[in-house]
Amino acid sequence: MTFFEKVLKRIFDILFSLLGIILTFPVMVVAFIIASIDTNSFGVFRQKRVGKDANLFWVYKIKTMRPVTGEYSTITTKNDMRITVNGKFFRNTKIDELPQLFNVLFGSMSFVGPRPDVVGYADKLEGEDRIILSVLPGITGPASLKYKNEEEILAEQSNAQEFNDEVIWPDKVKINREYIENWSFQKDIKYIFQTLTQKELWVEFFFQESSKKRIVYFLIFDFLISVFTILLSYLLRFNYSIDTELYSSIVSIIILLIPLKIAMFLIFKVYHVAWRFFGLTEYKQLVLSHFAAYIIFTIIYLIFRDTTSPFPRSVIVIDLFLSIFFIAFFRISKRLYLENKIISRDTKLLLVGANAQSTNIIKNAFRGEIDYYPVALVSDNKRIIGTYFSKVPVYSKSSVEKIVDQFNINSVIITEQLSQKELDDLFTKLNNLGIKDIKIAHLFQDKKPALSDISVDDLLARHPKDLDFEIIEKFIKGKKVLITGAGGSIGSEIVKQCSAFGANSLMLIDHNEFGLYSVGENIENAKLKLLNITNHPLLDEIFKEFKPDIVIHAAAYKHVPTCEENQVMAVENNVLGSKNVIDISITYEVKKVIIISTDKAAYPTSVMAATKRVGELYAENVKSARTEITSVRFGNVLGSRGSVMPKFKQQITEGKSVTVSHPEITRYFMRIDEACQLVLQTAAIAKGGELFILDMGEPIKIVDLAKQMIRLYGKEDEINIEFTGLRAGEKLYEELLLDESEQKTKYSSIFIAKPTPYDITQLNHDIDVLLTAKDKVRALQKIVLEFTREDLI
């Protein structure tokens, strides 16, 4: 390197280090403050390093590590526990090395050169390698660029110190020696350019968003933008010719107004908003914080007017509006970019419904946040057909077939509320057009649409329109609730609902260990008791200890064929168990008892149904004293363990024929969560002694349910339906009501059946006979007069 080249390099270092200090000084100040807070010490770190001609000098960095006592390695790896959270960011973006610009300015370092080593390594240099000490050490260089991921490399080694000394450091020496021997000014410029354009550095700084990083980022740019708008305000006010005597007022405004502005931004929580979600609400906060800052500044100016002269007041007004415009534009820039950057995907999407939900889905899709490419919307609203929603055209719903064919649609998302018939017709139409990916959009979660596959629940289940959550909450909140059969599908759902509606504590009883464990895992205030309800002494002990306000009795054997094969256990569990629950509830003066019954109890044809009817009769006629006892009868719930859905699902996934007992067999269906909510709502209005019946809508053919499930799985051409014949005790039709004399309640989904008087002394005697009888069917028929063994067709 010639004398002229050394002078040229030094002039370059001085000029650009000075420029770098001016431009990055706000960044250094903010980083210094954060580092001071993080490390609970002075935010700048200095260390003696070996420089030119082996002279020692102090190198300066933003502190990124917590102070430690004792011995520690001089080698730093990626996962070093001493590095603070913000320190990782500073190291990845090289912000921690900005103070070395002062080293460059004062001549102890250069922009490009070998990195300065700690004391000790220079002594290892021998022979030609000592040429490294003939030049100023640098902030960057070829060796630094090659080992830009040095901390990650060292983190992978079993002995980082040894690997550094034996592999990395010797290689750096070799690279630095070659750099010095083949030095040129053009190469220095190239290394600086390569350093400044490292993708990892800018990705970390701009795109890997976190709350702390976002605050630092906005603080820096708010400072720079504010300086810019103040200077621009003076230029506009004085026609781009600023008198030198006004320079002091410019400095005064920068020193006083910018900190005030940033303080107001913090108070109004402007820095807590994620960049991409900046909207009108956030813009309002930004404007209010601006006005607060400028009003305070104006008051200060009026109080200290003499000391701030000369001061052009119109500059403040100009700066106010410029600042709002530029800072707001900067914040909304990322959102504008993302919302106008359309990411094309292979999955062509049709949206059913032109509404705000569809608009949000389109925006999420175009930003690449969901795996769809919206090409069309359909709607029945004639006023918006032919318009565009976020650049996507709106067509008539009647032209679905044409749109699917024209745009080669792969997927459909339904965003509007449709009746069950409309949904079923649309599903059938889309299915016939070959579209299998059909989803329903729900309320948004975390700014993203919640999508679910269309289900049998959506197509078949009856959805009650008169659920009264307020009365349910009033009934459950703050109460001690005991639930039997808590591990079953109905029981576990009631547990969840009681917890959600604010029960004070829950006592969960079941003889199924895994079922009880599963439901108890997700309920914090629940006590779990593993026992059979036929065990009177243990059940009595639990009631005595817990003292429930409400008892919900869901424990029962419900499978018709199983109960036919095990009549003794069915009678013991469903009759004796229910009687135990009711009697003990009366003994301990439980305020309200709800017995879960079934539609099969109306004109029963099976042992299971007849035992449930006996439970209804006992609940209705027992002398309950202060306890209000109510039975609630409803049909099948979709997805419960006792329903056909799990069996159909297993058969379909295994590729087997779906078995249905009879082509005309029908059942009532309701969603399990809504059925349980209706049970609780019924209990809330009960006075005691009633048999409530829930309106389950129209009965559904089981064969239609099977067909819908096969279609939902897209296996119409693969799966057949096989009819196996009615099983013992199985009814072709179910009746929810015993006769037409039911009473209405204020809720259209809830009715009260006509009471069935039964002398309680006689009933107790008949139950005792039933429990000991060998012929359970005949004993049941004596109690339940409508119980017949003939299938009703």
Side-chain angles (χ1 to χ4, degrees):
M1 188 185 297
T2 65
F3 175 77
F4 174 76
E5 288 173 333
K6 290 180 181 178
V7 171
L8 178 64
K9 183 176 173 71
R10 182 64 191 137
I11 292 172
F12 177 88
D13 285 344
I14 292 171
L15 291 176
F16 282 93
S17 63
L18 188 59
L19 178 62
I21 289 168
I22 293 170
L23 292 176
T24 64
F25 187 73
V27 180
M28 284 191 269
V29 171
V30 172
F32 166 77
I33 295 169
I34 292 171
S36 299
I37 295 169
D38 277 354
T39 62
N40 199 27
S41 60
F42 190 71
V44 173
F45 166 80
R46 71 172 190 167
Q47 186 181 46
K48 280 192 176 181
R49 297 287 180 95
V50 180
K52 184 180 177 184
D53 300 325
N55 293 320
L56 298 179
F57 73 98
W58 291 106
V59 68
Y60 296 95
K61 288 186 176 186
I62 297 294
K63 192 172 285 186
T64 60
M65 294 185 179
R66 302 175 186 88
V68 295
T69 57
E71 294 184 4
Y72 58 90
S73 174
T74 55
I75 300 298
T76 306
T77 63
K78 181 183 178 182
N79 300 317
D80 196 312
M81 298 300 292
R82 296 171 294 171
I83 302 175
T84 65
V85 174
N86 290 308
K88 289 179 182 178
F89 170 65
F90 293 152
R91 294 173 80 93
N92 291 339
T93 56
K94 306 303 178 186
I95 287 175
D96 65 320
E97 296 185 3
L98 287 178
Q100 291 171 38
L101 290 170
F102 289 99
N103 288 109
V104 176
L105 180 64
F106 296 123
S108 55
M109 290 181 68
S110 176
F111 271 110
V112 183
R115 285 295 293 164
D117 282 319
V118 295
V119 177
Y121 278 93
D123 298 336
K124 298 179 182 179
L125 295 171
E126 298 177 352
E128 294 180 352
D129 290 344
R130 292 193 68 81
I131 193 175
I132 292 172
L133 299 176
S134 66
V135 298
L136 289 172
I139 294 177
T140 188
S144 299
L145 288 167
K146 180 177 179 179
Y147 288 101
K148 61 185 177 182
N149 298 322
E150 181 178 346
E151 291 183 1
E152 293 181 17
I153 296 169
L154 290 171
E156 295 172 357
Q157 310 307 316
S158 57
N159 190 326
Q161 185 74 54
E162 184 179 306
F163 187 82
N164 177 74
D165 293 350
E166 296 182 3
V167 179
I168 294 181
W169 187 75
D171 190 40
K172 284 182 177 180
V173 170
K174 179 183 175 184
I175 294 169
N176 287 326
R177 193 180 68 201
E178 291 173 357
Y179 159 75
I180 294 167
E181 291 171 350
N182 301 289
W183 181 88
S184 71
F185 189 70
Q186 291 84 355
K187 285 183 180 179
D188 272 10
I189 300 297
K190 182 184 77 171
Y191 294 138
I192 292 171
F193 179 78
Q194 287 177 348
T195 300
L196 293 175
T197 56
Q198 288 181 70
K199 180 183 177 181
E200 296 84 357
L201 186 152
W202 296 108
V203 166
E204 173 76 20
F205 191 81
F206 285 101
F207 300 107
Q208 293 183 6
E209 193 170 310
S210 70
S211 58
K212 290 182 180 179
K213 197 185 301 180
R214 181 175 63 244
I215 292 172
V216 173
Y217 181 72
F218 279 128
L219 278 169
I220 292 167
F221 277 90
D222 285 346
F223 179 87
L224 296 175
I225 291 170
S226 297
V227 171
F228 167 75
T229 58
I230 289 169
L231 294 174
L232 182 59
S233 299
Y234 271 88
L235 289 171
L236 292 173
R237 169 64 179 82
F238 295 103
N239 200 24
Y240 299 96
S241 178
I242 304 172
D243 199 300
T244 53
E245 67 179 22
L246 294 173
Y247 288 174
S248 61
S249 69
I250 295 175
V251 175
S252 299
I253 292 180
I254 290 173
I255 292 173
L256 181 58
L257 180 58
I258 295 177
L260 264 177
K261 195 189 298 185
I262 290 173
M264 289 301 107
F265 288 175
L266 288 167
I267 291 170
F268 282 81
K269 297 184 178 180
V270 173
Y271 291 120
H272 289 74
V273 180
W275 198 357
R276 65 170 60 192
F277 300 121
F278 186 85
L280 288 175
T281 303
E282 292 72 31
Y283 178 74
K284 177 185 173 183
Q285 292 299 101
L286 186 69
V287 171
L288 289 174
S289 58
H290 265 89
F291 274 97
Y294 281 78
I295 288 170
I296 294 171
F297 177 81
T298 303
I299 293 170
I300 294 171
Y301 162 73
L302 293 173
I303 294 171
F304 300 99
R305 182 181 298 181
D306 295 337
T307 58
T308 54
S309 297
F311 184 78
R313 286 164 291 183
S314 56
V315 165
I316 296 304
V317 178
I318 297 170
D319 182 60
L320 169 62
F321 291 102
L322 286 177
S323 179
I324 291 173
F325 173 78
F326 281 106
I327 291 178
F329 180 78
F330 175 68
R331 275 167 167 72
I332 205 170
S333 58
K334 187 172 183 178
R335 179 173 173 181
L336 289 172
Y337 168 74
L338 290 172
E339 291 188 1
N340 286 280
K341 179 187 176 184
I342 298 177
I343 299 176
S344 180
R345 297 186 182 274
D346 295 332
T347 308
K348 303 291 182 62
L349 175 67
L350 169 66
L351 288 156
V352 178
N355 48 41
Q357 185 120 299
S358 290
T359 302
N360 286 326
I361 289 173
I362 292 168
K363 290 178 180 178
N364 277 272
F366 286 165
R367 288 197 294 257
E369 294 176 2
I370 56 175
D371 226 6
Y372 295 101
Y373 181 63
V375 294
L377 295 93
V378 292
S379 175
D380 285 328
N381 190 340
K382 293 180 180 179
R383 290 178 297 177
I384 59 175
I385 293 172
T387 62
Y388 285 78
F389 271 52
S390 298
K391 303 179 184 178
V392 177
V394 181
Y395 299 92
S396 170
K397 197 182 288 183
S398 61
S399 58
V400 167
E401 294 96 332
K402 182 180 177 182
I403 294 167
V404 169
D405 181 61
Q406 179 181 342
F407 293 103
N408 194 24
I409 299 294
N410 310 109
S411 302
V412 172
I413 294 177
I414 301 166
T415 65
E416 65 181 6
Q417 288 281 37
L418 298 175
S419 68
Q420 268 185 324
K421 187 178 184 311
E422 289 174 326
L423 186 63
D424 186 54
D425 291 343
L426 178 63
F427 175 76
T428 303
K429 183 184 291 186
L430 294 172
N431 208 259
N432 292 336
L433 291 169
I435 297 175
K436 307 299 180 188
D437 183 18
I438 306 170
K439 287 184 167 56
I440 294 178
H442 304 284
L443 293 176
F444 274 51
Q445 299 173 353
D446 301 324
K447 305 285 185 179
K448 293 184 181 180
L451 305 175
S452 65
D453 292 320
I454 195 166
S455 67
V456 174
D457 289 19
D458 300 313
L459 297 174
L460 296 179
R462 188 255 179 188
H463 302 282
K465 304 296 184 184
D466 53 357
L467 282 171
D468 189 339
F469 296 128
E470 187 176 339
I471 197 171
I472 298 172
E473 182 178 18
K474 187 177 179 181
F475 173 60
I476 295 294
K477 191 171 184 180
K479 307 286 178 42
K480 296 162 71 175
V481 184
L482 184 148
I483 301 166
T484 69
S489 37
I490 301 290
S492 60
E493 182 62 34
I494 288 176
V495 170
K496 293 174 190 173
Q497 297 291 343
C498 288
S499 178
F501 283 111
N504 177 268
S505 58
L506 295 167
M507 174 64 74
L508 312 185
I509 295 175
D510 206 296
H511 69 269
N512 182 328
E513 181 196 18
F514 181 73
L516 191 62
Y517 163 78
S518 298
V519 68
E521 274 290 278
N522 302 310
I523 307 296
E524 291 182 3
N525 60 338
K527 297 179 180 179
L528 312 183
K529 292 295 180 181
L530 190 65
L531 83 153
N532 194 309
I533 54 172
T534 59
N535 190 327
H536 191 284
L538 277 179
L539 191 61
D540 185 278
E541 192 65 33
I542 290 170
F543 271 75
K544 183 179 180 181
E545 174 193 336
F546 186 62
K547 294 183 174 60
D549 301 306
I550 300 168
V551 170
I552 302 174
H553 176 46
Y557 290 150
K558 304 181 182 75
H559 293 270
V560 170
T562 306
C563 288
E564 289 296 323
E565 292 292 327
N566 300 273
Q567 295 181 6
V568 173
M569 295 307 298
V571 168
E572 283 194 11
N573 192 77
N574 293 357
V575 177
L576 178 60
S578 298
K579 188 175 183 296
N580 285 345
V581 171
I582 293 170
D583 290 345
I584 297 172
S585 296
I586 295 170
T587 300
Y588 290 100
E589 298 184 343
V590 176
K591 293 176 183 176
K592 191 162 287 191
V593 178
I594 302 95
I595 308 296
I596 305 294
S597 191
T598 171
D599 59 351
K600 294 176 175 64
Y603 299 106
T605 61
S606 66
V607 170
M608 186 281 290
T611 58
K612 295 296 288 181
R613 178 60 181 150
V614 174
E616 290 179 353
L617 290 171
Y618 190 78
E620 193 173 357
N621 292 280
V622 69
K623 290 180 171 53
S624 58
R626 298 182 181 180
T627 301
E628 297 174 0
I629 305 171
T630 297
S631 297
V632 182
R633 182 189 291 175
F634 61 93
N636 296 275
V637 290
L638 288 168
S640 72
R641 294 173 200 165
S643 78
V644 294
M645 279 182 61
K647 183 183 79 169
F648 286 175
K649 181 179 179 181
Q650 181 180 355
Q651 290 173 334
I652 293 168
T653 54
E654 291 177 357
K656 297 178 181 178
S657 295
V658 173
T659 55
V660 178
S661 58
H662 194 284
E664 297 300 321
I665 191 169
T666 63
R667 292 292 182 265
Y668 294 95
F669 285 101
M670 188 182 286
R671 280 170 46 131
I672 191 167
D673 57 336
E674 293 172 340
C676 292
Q677 287 163 358
L678 267 183
V679 167
L680 297 177
Q681 184 171 320
T682 301
I685 64 171
K687 303 298 181 184
E690 308 101 328
L691 169 58
F692 285 95
I693 296 164
L694 304 185
D695 180 9
M696 304 292 289
E698 294 299 317
I700 296 167
K701 282 188 175 184
I702 300 300
V703 70
D704 290 340
L705 173 61
K707 288 176 182 177
Q708 290 284 25
M709 288 191 68
I710 293 169
R711 286 164 59 198
L712 285 170
Y713 280 88
K715 295 190 176 184
E716 301 97 311
D717 301 328
E718 304 172 36
I719 304 293
N720 297 317
I721 296 175
E722 180 182 325
F723 297 105
T724 59
L726 291 173
R727 295 167 295 182
E730 188 174 27
K731 296 168 68 173
L732 196 57
Y733 308 107
E734 303 285 13
E735 302 88 8
L736 283 168
L737 304 179
L738 284 168
D739 51 45
E740 298 300 323
S741 56
E742 75 278 0
Q743 301 174 30
K744 292 182 179 180
T745 67
K746 65 177 181 178
Y747 299 108
S748 61
S749 296
I750 303 172
F751 297 87
I752 303 174
K754 180 183 177 181
T756 306
Y758 202 125
D759 181 75
I760 191 60
T761 304
Q762 183 63 46
L763 181 56
N764 274 312
H765 174 267
D766 292 342
I767 289 174
D768 290 339
V769 172
L770 170 64
L771 292 171
T772 57
K774 290 185 178 180
D775 189 342
K776 300 297 183 188
V777 172
R778 190 171 297 278
L780 281 167
Q781 285 178 326
K782 185 176 180 182
I783 303 172
V784 184
L785 301 179
E786 65 274 14
F787 175 29
T788 174
R789 298 297 292 166
E790 295 178 357
D791 297 326
L792 301 178
I793 300 177

